[in-house]
């Protein structure tokens, strides 16, 4: 029987593999072990195709029905120096027969395509882990380039690991010798050989990958067939070689999730689909004004494919032009979006302030990355929270929404659109590189489940003057939401001024009156403060004295750490915020219930600063800014220290 575990127990056992009794494999003598979970990391040069290899293995794993979580990790340079530590690209996949939350703390299996990949990643592999090494790349010069004085394959430094030396390059060239390819062209397929080998080891489906390769290289059928041949050769090598005496099975996940159709999805793709769904549910054209920037560019790429859903994309010459076009589209009656990362937000800040003043719906999607300045373009961080809150001149309040998982980016996009359209305001949607590039299963929702986001444009005058004349006042507000009317340009009788200078309440005329400015500033703030958001939910089954409060992508590591602590008998409560401005109305009461509040963040304590300032709660920060997500084991240890202090 396949071993079954609860979600708490499963996530707690990071780095462990438990196996059922061995069974024969389809009549052969090779042993098959059944595991409940595996963490695999593919690593090589940035030109070795590790992201493609990991993505294909993930797709087949998703189609098999495992729960999964991924962590792509690659250099910022398009082609980083070959064979060097900064040039290493990796892709980690955690898949299981139960509910999991993170890509895993440490890989059980490392596929190292060269010495740099081995040296950059060996520190993460626990003793007893499996290492598959491409021995063809371990030449003296290549090893010296990364500081190996002697070969790690021969000097005993890998004792304690299960090392599989495989001449991947040689085997690939041999498999493709009849295809008429140059050596360089044939060598490029070695990642498919490795993928085939791992697919055999973990009983992954193969049909999807072969179909994918033939579609990807449809214009070069000889390259397509060469990749398919390399993939099959890797699978056959695993089946026939004596070096791999064991293969592994991980059964499809037994989920406590709603039934439905699931697919693997990355955060940026889920966010793109959420924006499209928001446009359809609002019955408005979706307009994206954007400038490419890592790690947000995928949203522009994806939305450009969906003109059939009323989507129009504009790749502007710079960040300022991108948001200016988007704000113009909002004025014209579209659901307007601009996408960027932290450096782009800095450039867009003046136009965001203009959107606050004009009180028009606009979604600002910030896929956060390591900073400051160019920083770490391909790494993750949560350090734009205070920038989103306060990074504009004057009092310019903006709602802030943050998804917690890759799949949750879909719902967060709908939520951000709801707020923007209902309250006529720009809204920040704060994702990050970890969510954007990571992936997990996502249940495709029925259209009937999606919120109704339709809004009414102003069509007639809304104010009667003392002489009985009916006029249109662009800043006459809804008494409940404080939103002003949205009038599409060209509507007869609704002509009105627009611009960045302060408006007179109601009429929208230019006003320098001090009392009016004070009133307008306070009214715009009151509108944001009055936005309806759900109460924060607290998970506290044991009546704990310590609360861990998170936001955004820390959800997975925090939840995994909480499960570990509870399994070990340490009571701890957990709450996670999607809405960071305004905070949920019950947040203050929740925080005051606990003796200790800990806030883990991938910054230097930005949410903790906001919480301490607003609620006078002695929130304790636990932070890291190394470009990587928290590891559950390390986070659990830090939380345990707080509980025991």
């Amino acid at each position: 029987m396949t071993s079954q575990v609860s979600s708490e127990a499963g996530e707690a056992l990071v780095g462990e593999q438990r196996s059922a009794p061995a069974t024969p494999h389809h009549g052969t003598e090779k042993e098959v072990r059944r595991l409940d979970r595996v963490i695999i990391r593919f690593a090589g040069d940035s030109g070795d195709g590790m992201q493609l290899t990991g993505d294909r293995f993930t797709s087949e794993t998703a189609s098999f029905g495992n729960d999964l979580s991924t962590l792509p990790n690659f250099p910022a340079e398009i082609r980083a120096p070959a064979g060097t530590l900064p040039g290493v690209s990796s892709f980690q996949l955690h898949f299981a027969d139960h509910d999991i939350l993170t890509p895993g703390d440490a890989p059980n299996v490392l596929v190292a395509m060269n010495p740099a990949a081995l040296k950059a990643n060996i520190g993460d592999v626990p003793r007893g882990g499996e290492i598959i090494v491409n021995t063809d790349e371990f030449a003296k010069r290549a090893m010296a380039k990364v500081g190996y004085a002697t070969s790690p394959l021969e000097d005993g430094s890998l004792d304690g690991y299960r090392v599989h030396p495989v001449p991947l390059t040689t085997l690939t060239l041999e498999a493709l010798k009849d295809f008429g390819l140059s050596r360089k062209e044939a060598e490029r397929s070695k990642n498919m050989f490795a993928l085939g080998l791992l697919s055999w080891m973990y009983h992954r489906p193969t049909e999807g990958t072969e179909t994918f390769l033939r579609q990807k290289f449809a214009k070069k059928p000889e390259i397509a067939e060469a990749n398919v041949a390399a993939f099959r050769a890797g699978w056959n090598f695993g089946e026939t070689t004596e070096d791999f005496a064991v293969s592994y099975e991980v059964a499809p996940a037994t989920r406590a999730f709603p039934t439905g159709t699931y697919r693997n999805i990355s955060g940026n793709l889920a966010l793109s689909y959420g924006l499209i769904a928001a446009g359809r549910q609002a019955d408005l054209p979706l307009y994206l004004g954007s400038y490419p920037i890592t790690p947000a560019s995928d949203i522009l790429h994806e939305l450009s494919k969906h003109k059939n859903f009323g989507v129009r994309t504009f790749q502007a010459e710079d960040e300022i032009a991108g948001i200016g076009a988007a704000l113009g589209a909002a004025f014209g009656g579209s659901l307007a979006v601009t996408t960027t990362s932290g450096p782009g937000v800095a450039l867009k800040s003046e136009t965001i302030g203009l959107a606050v003043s004009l009180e028009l719906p606009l979604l600002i999607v910030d896929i956060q990355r390591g900073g400051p300045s160019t920083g770490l373009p391909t790494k993750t961080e949560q350090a734009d929270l205070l920038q989103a809150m306060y990074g504009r001149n004057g009092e310019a309040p903006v709602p802030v929404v943050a998804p917690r998982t890759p799949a949750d980016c879909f719902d967060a996009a709908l939520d951000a659109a709801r707020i923007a359209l209902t309250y006529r305001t720009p809204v920040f949607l704060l994702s990050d590189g970890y969510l954007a590039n990571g992936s997990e299963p996502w249940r495709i929702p029925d259209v009937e489940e999606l919120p109704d986001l339709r809004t009414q444009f102003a069509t007639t005058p809304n104010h009667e003057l003392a002489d009985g004349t009916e006029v249109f006042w662009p800043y006459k507000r809804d008494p409940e939401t404080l939103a002003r009317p949205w009038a599409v340009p060209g509507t007869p009788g609704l002509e009105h001024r627009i611009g960045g200078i302060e408006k007179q309440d109601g009429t929208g005329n230019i006003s320098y009156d001090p009392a009016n400015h004070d009133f307008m500033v306070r009214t715009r703030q009151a509108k944001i403060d009055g936005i309806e958001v759900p109460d924060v939910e607290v998970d506290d089954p044991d009546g704990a004295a310590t609360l861990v409060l998170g936001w955004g992508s820390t959800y997975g590591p925090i939840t995994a750490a909480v499960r570990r602590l509870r399994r070990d008998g340490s009571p701890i409560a957990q709450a996670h915020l999607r809405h960071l401005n305004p905070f949920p109305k019950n947040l203050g009461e929740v925080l005051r219930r606990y003796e200790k509040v800990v806030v883990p963040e991938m910054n230097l304590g930005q949410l903790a600063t906001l919480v301490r300032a607003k609620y006078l709660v002695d929130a304790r920060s636990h932070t890291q800014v190394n470009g990587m997500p928290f590891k559950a084991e390390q986070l659990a240890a830090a939380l345990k220290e707080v509980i025991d202090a």
Side-chain angles (χ1 to χ4, degrees):
M1 294 292 291
T2 302
S3 59
Q4 301 291 334
V5 296
S6 69
S7 56
E8 283 99 357
E11 190 64 38
L13 295 170
V14 172
E16 295 185 25
Q17 299 183 29
R18 290 173 293 140
S19 60
T23 58
H25 177 43
H26 305 304
T28 72
E29 301 199 359
K30 289 208 173 185
E31 180 185 353
V32 177
R33 294 179 186 169
R34 292 181 177 173
L35 309 175
D36 65 357
R37 59 213 300 270
V38 177
I39 303 168
I40 298 175
R41 184 181 298 177
F42 298 93
D45 269 339
S46 57
D48 282 340
M50 294 297 94
Q51 303 306 316
L52 175 62
T53 304
D55 182 69
R56 288 314 312 160
F57 196 92
T58 299
S59 295
E60 298 296 2
T61 297
S63 68
F64 189 71
N66 296 118
D67 197 13
L68 61 89
S69 179
T70 68
L71 178 62
N73 187 14
F74 44 89
E77 294 85 0
I78 293 174
R79 186 64 173 96
T84 65
L85 295 177
V88 173
S89 173
S90 67
F91 188 106
Q92 183 162 305
L93 166 66
H94 181 192
F95 61 101
D97 65 3
H98 57 274
D99 172 30
I100 59 175
L101 296 160
T102 75
D105 287 0
N108 309 120
V109 181
L110 171 65
V111 180
M113 303 297 282
N114 61 16
L118 178 65
K119 187 159 191 177
N121 292 280
I122 188 61
D124 292 335
V125 183
R127 291 287 173 171
E130 291 196 76
I131 303 174
I132 300 172
V133 181
N134 180 14
T135 56
D136 287 328
E137 297 297 321
F138 278 71
K140 198 170 190 178
R141 182 177 178 185
M143 290 188 289
K145 188 181 289 190
V146 295
Y148 279 130
T150 59
S151 172
L153 306 181
E154 300 172 354
D155 62 11
S157 60
L158 297 181
D159 290 349
Y161 300 97
R162 289 178 286 168
V163 180
H164 302 278
V166 181
L168 290 173
T169 305
T170 299
L171 292 170
T172 302
L173 293 174
E174 177 65 23
L176 304 184
K177 64 183 179 180
D178 296 329
F179 280 80
L181 302 177
S182 68
R183 180 184 176 89
K184 185 176 182 180
E185 289 174 326
E187 280 188 7
R188 288 175 180 165
S189 298
K190 64 180 181 288
N191 64 325
M192 288 297 105
F193 188 100
L195 178 60
L197 173 57
L198 269 292
S199 297
W200 172 83
M201 282 184 66
Y202 291 95
H203 296 209
R204 300 296 91 185
T206 59
E207 295 81 2
T209 293
E210 294 190 10
T211 300
F212 167 83
L213 290 171
R214 291 190 172 102
Q215 291 175 346
K216 179 177 177 63
F217 299 107
K219 295 182 179 179
K220 296 181 178 179
E222 70 283 0
I223 299 296
E225 292 309 315
N227 277 278
V228 169
F231 177 68
R232 291 178 176 176
W235 198 97
N236 291 330
F237 177 77
E239 177 75 2
T240 57
T241 184
E242 294 182 1
D243 189 49
F244 291 88
V246 179
S247 65
Y248 305 92
E249 288 183 348
V250 180
T254 54
R255 307 173 186 272
F257 298 154
T259 57
T261 302
Y262 285 79
R263 59 156 293 170
N264 183 52
I265 200 165
S266 68
N268 272 353
L269 184 57
L271 202 154
S272 300
Y273 288 172
L275 293 173
I276 295 170
R280 300 294 285 183
Q281 292 302 106
D283 197 23
L284 295 174
L286 179 70
Y287 184 94
L288 174 66
S290 183
Y291 180 76
I293 184 172
T294 302
S297 300
D298 287 343
I299 302 171
L300 171 61
H301 301 159
E302 183 62 33
L303 290 182
S304 68
K305 303 174 185 177
H306 298 287
K307 296 177 182 178
N308 56 314
F309 287 119
V311 179
R312 179 173 295 177
T313 55
F314 169 53
Q315 180 175 320
E317 64 269 29
D318 56 39
E319 296 279 9
I320 298 171
I323 190 173
L327 185 57
F331 179 57
S334 294
L335 176 58
V337 185
T338 190
T339 53
T340 190
S341 191
V345 173
L347 293 168
K348 296 176 189 290
S349 61
E350 184 176 9
T351 307
I352 297 171
L354 176 60
V356 171
S357 177
L358 299 183
E359 300 188 48
L360 287 170
L362 173 66
L363 301 184
I364 304 114
V365 178
D366 177 5
I367 313 297
Q368 301 166 95
R369 72 191 205 188
S373 187
T374 306
L376 305 173
T378 59
K379 311 302 180 185
T380 195
E381 206 164 272
Q382 289 182 298
D384 295 352
L385 176 56
L386 294 183
Q387 182 184 31
M389 288 286 292
Y390 303 120
R392 294 163 295 283
N393 65 296
E395 296 288 346
V398 173
V400 180
V401 177
R404 65 186 189 178
T405 68
D408 188 48
C409 289
F410 178 87
D411 295 317
L414 286 163
D415 198 10
R418 171 190 68 85
I419 294 171
L421 293 170
T422 303
Y423 296 90
R424 311 284 197 270
T425 177
V427 177
F428 261 98
L429 182 56
L430 287 184
S431 180
D432 61 42
Y434 172 37
L435 296 183
N437 296 316
S439 62
E440 67 175 353
W442 171 60
R443 187 181 72 85
I444 302 173
D446 293 329
V447 174
E448 293 74 20
E449 301 174 25
L450 302 179
D452 185 350
L453 300 179
R454 287 174 293 183
T455 186
Q456 298 296 320
F457 291 115
T459 56
T460 59
N462 61 359
H463 185 77
E464 185 175 338
L465 300 177
D467 62 2
T469 303
E470 290 189 337
V471 296
F472 175 65
W473 277 14
Y475 283 84
K476 185 172 184 177
R477 301 178 183 278
D478 181 283
E480 293 185 3
T481 64
L482 298 182
R484 77 173 186 89
W486 192 6
V488 176
T491 305
L494 305 191
E495 298 83 1
H496 58 282
R497 291 183 177 88
I498 204 78
I501 299 178
E502 184 62 280
K503 289 93 179 139
Q504 184 182 57
D505 177 42
T507 68
N509 295 333
I510 291 174
S511 173
Y512 290 94
D513 177 60
N516 177 77
H517 177 59
D518 184 275
F519 177 79
M520 292 294 278
V521 167
R522 295 180 186 277
T523 300
R524 287 189 289 262
Q525 183 66 59
K527 181 176 71 170
I528 303 306
D529 292 341
I531 291 173
E532 291 188 9
V533 302
D535 284 347
V536 63
E537 297 181 358
V538 183
D539 176 20
D540 185 9
D542 304 312
T546 301
L547 171 72
V548 55
L549 178 69
W551 70 278
S553 67
T554 57
Y555 173 77
I558 288 175
T559 307
V562 166
R563 289 178 177 181
R564 285 169 175 256
L565 292 169
R566 289 177 181 168
R567 182 201 64 176
D568 294 338
S570 297
I572 187 168
Q574 179 185 2
H576 207 79
L577 296 175
R578 167 179 282 179
H579 299 96
L580 299 155
N581 192 34
F583 284 132
K585 289 182 172 57
N586 70 329
L587 180 58
E589 183 272 327
V590 165
L591 295 175
R592 284 186 284 271
R593 291 207 306 256
Y594 294 91
E595 296 176 13
K596 304 169 187 175
V597 177
V598 186
V599 186
E601 300 179 79
M602 293 185 292
N603 55 48
L604 294 183
Q606 297 187 14
L607 176 60
T609 297
L610 295 174
V611 166
R612 291 170 67 95
K614 185 172 180 64
Y615 300 109
L616 303 181
V617 171
D618 187 19
R620 311 178 188 201
S621 287
H622 177 74
T623 64
Q624 71 175 38
V625 281
N626 60 6
M628 299 295 288
F630 283 108
K631 292 185 176 180
E633 182 178 8
Q634 295 172 353
L635 188 53
L639 295 174
K640 185 69 164 60
E641 288 183 8
V642 174
I643 294 171
D644 293 343

